[in-house]
């Protein structure tokens, strides 16, 4: 057992990290300790020259129920809590680090996701969810607004009406509906979770990592760029990919009519 981690499980194999949120009794709600654990895992992965991907999921019947509300016990009369602090210290850096990771971050939503748990899933590059999962913008139920990037990701993924309805009234959105809306990539049968996760792991471990990283960078840049700027960026990234071993291998494999063997370099 890796004693550096108390509220997550972390492993790293074939250049692919795996973070499992691990507080199943409280649906993997997020504590200060869990944030610190994830920071340690990200520190490790960011330092790996062979990083090829990250998979994020939860243990037990939930993915993540957002902020652990027991860490928000009522304060003595007259004292007020500054909620912006936890967002600034924990959630915002986490979301930005997942976005900046130079490899795909794939989320497997294994059960209910609520509050910042939904924001965390949507901070990942690609989201799979099991059929029984649901996404709940639970924030307004406790008098808060969606945070950890949730107001932006929902809007970008599903449009204003759906983002507004889900966020104002906190009605659960089932995984099949989430797929239909484009909130997530794929809804999979519950019993296929482990097999799908393994096949995504294998795919990340054998993929053209630098092409994946460039694709991720370009897709995120696209919403802020003019078409001309975006094509400039594509050209710059394509130039660097044209110098990689994986491009040479991809071309060789095409000519030799075989599957490419990418090394991520
Ligand atoms: O505070 C700040 O820093 C600002 C930032 C806020 C970010 C946020 O995420 S705010 C939103 C916080 N999350 C929520 O409000 C969701 C709360 N949870 C729920 O509404 C429900 O648990 C679910 C709809 C997610 C699932 O319902 P259900 O019926 O399937 O499960 P349950 O029985 O409610 O929960 C199971 C256990 O997990 C239960 O504990 P128990 O009774 O078995 O001892 C429950 O209390 C615990 N749990 C669920 N969510 C949380 C939690 N414990 C602590 N914090 C939670 N967020």
């Amino acid at each position: 057992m890796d004693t550096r981690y108390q509220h997550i499980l972390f492993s790293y194999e074939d250049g692919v990290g795996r973070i499992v949120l691990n507080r199943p009794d409280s649906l993997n709600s997020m504590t200060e300790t869990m944030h610190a654990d994830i920071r340690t895992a990200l520190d490790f992965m960011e330092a790996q020259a062979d990083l090829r991907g990250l998979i994020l999921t939860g243990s037990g019947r939930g993915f993540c129920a957002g902020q652990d509300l027991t860490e928000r016990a009522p304060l003595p009369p007259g004292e007020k809590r500054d909620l912006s602090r936890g967002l600034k210290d924990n959630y915002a850096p986490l979301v930005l680090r997942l976005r900046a990771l130079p490899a795909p971050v794939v989320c497997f939503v294994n059960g209910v996701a609520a509050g910042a748990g939904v924001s965390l899933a949507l901070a990942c590059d690609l989201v799979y969810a099991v059929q029984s999962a649901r996404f709940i913008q639970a924030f307004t139920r406790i008098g808060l607004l969606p945070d950890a990037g949730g107001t932006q990701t929902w809007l970008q993924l599903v449009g204003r009406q759906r983002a507004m309805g889900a966020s104002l009234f906190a009605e659960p959105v089932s995984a099949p509906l989430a797929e239909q809306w484009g909130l997530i990539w794929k809804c999979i049968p519950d019993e296929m979770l482990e097999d799908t996760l393994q096949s995504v792991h294998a795919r990340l471990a054998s993929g053209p990592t630098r092409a994946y990283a460039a694709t991720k960078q370009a897709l995120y840049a696209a919403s802020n760029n003019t078409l001309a700027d975006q094509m400039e960026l594509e050209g710059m990234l394509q130039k660097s990919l044209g110098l990689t071993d994986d491009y040479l291998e991809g071309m060789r494999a095409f000519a030799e009519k075989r599957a490419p063997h990418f090394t991520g370099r």
Side-chain angles (χ1 to χ4, degrees):
M1 191 177 115
D2 192 333
T3 51
R4 276 174 305 175
Y5 303 106
Q6 295 175 61
H7 288 177
I8 67 169
L9 304 173
F10 178 64
S11 57
Y12 189 78
E13 213 177 303
D14 316 317
V16 180
R18 188 178 303 186
I19 293 176
V20 182
L21 308 178
N22 193 33
R23 301 183 66 234
D25 290 348
S26 57
L27 304 178
N28 303 316
S29 55
M30 302 187 81
T31 56
E32 285 287 338
T33 303
M34 184 183 283
H35 279 286
D37 284 354
I38 297 174
R39 278 196 291 275
T40 305
L42 285 171
D43 287 345
F44 173 85
M45 282 183 284
E46 286 167 354
Q48 303 309 305
D50 72 340
L51 177 72
R52 303 187 82 170
L54 167 61
I55 288 173
L56 174 67
T57 190
S59 66
R61 74 174 176 91
F63 168 66
C64 175
Q67 171 61 41
D68 183 324
L69 298 178
T70 66
E71 282 191 347
R72 299 288 179 264
L75 294 171
E79 282 185 36
K80 300 254 191 263
R81 179 171 276 124
D82 177 358
L83 291 181
S84 71
R85 239 199 57 215
L87 295 175
K88 194 159 162 269
D89 294 348
N90 290 331
Y91 288 98
L94 168 57
V95 165
L96 295 175
R97 285 178 86 176
L98 294 176
R99 274 291 171 93
L101 209 67
V105 180
V106 183
C107 184
F108 283 86
V109 177
N110 55 298
V112 65
V118 182
S119 306
L120 176 62
L122 300 183
C124 299
D125 303 317
L126 203 59
V127 184
Y128 291 81
V130 295
Q131 207 129 15
S132 64
R134 54 210 157 107
F135 297 83
I136 311 175
Q137 290 290 72
F139 304 89
T140 56
R141 291 185 185 175
I142 55 167
L144 298 180
L145 90 157
D147 57 25
T151 52
Q152 189 182 82
T153 45
W154 273 81
L155 189 70
Q156 288 173 342
L157 292 166
V158 302
R160 181 153 57 89
Q161 282 300 309
R162 286 166 174 168
M164 200 64 91
S167 302
L168 289 177
F169 298 141
E171 283 173 23
V173 175
S174 68
L177 185 60
E179 183 193 82
Q180 194 187 311
W181 282 4
L183 187 70
I184 63 168
W185 166 234
K186 269 184 190 164
C187 173
I188 55 175
D190 288 50
E191 62 277 13
M192 289 298 293
L193 175 67
E194 194 50 41
D195 282 357
T196 314
L197 195 148
Q198 291 296 349
S199 79
V200 168
H201 179 117
R203 199 158 179 170
L204 294 175
S206 60
T209 309
R210 294 186 57 184
Y212 287 163
T215 303
K216 170 174 172 171
Q217 184 184 339
L219 282 172
Y220 286 126
S223 41
N224 296 321
N225 272 345
T226 62
L227 182 57
D229 288 345
Q230 186 67 13
M231 288 192 288
E232 184 77 28
L233 175 65
E234 288 169 357
M236 194 188 83
L237 293 170
Q238 208 67 296
K239 180 175 172 177
S240 69
L241 292 176
L243 305 175
T244 62
D245 292 350
D246 281 346
Y247 171 64
L248 293 180
E249 167 60 8
M251 294 302 288
R252 242 184 265 122
F254 175 77
E256 294 166 12
K257 298 188 187 302
R258 60 171 173 81
H261 175 72
F262 292 125
T263 57
R265 291 190 291 273

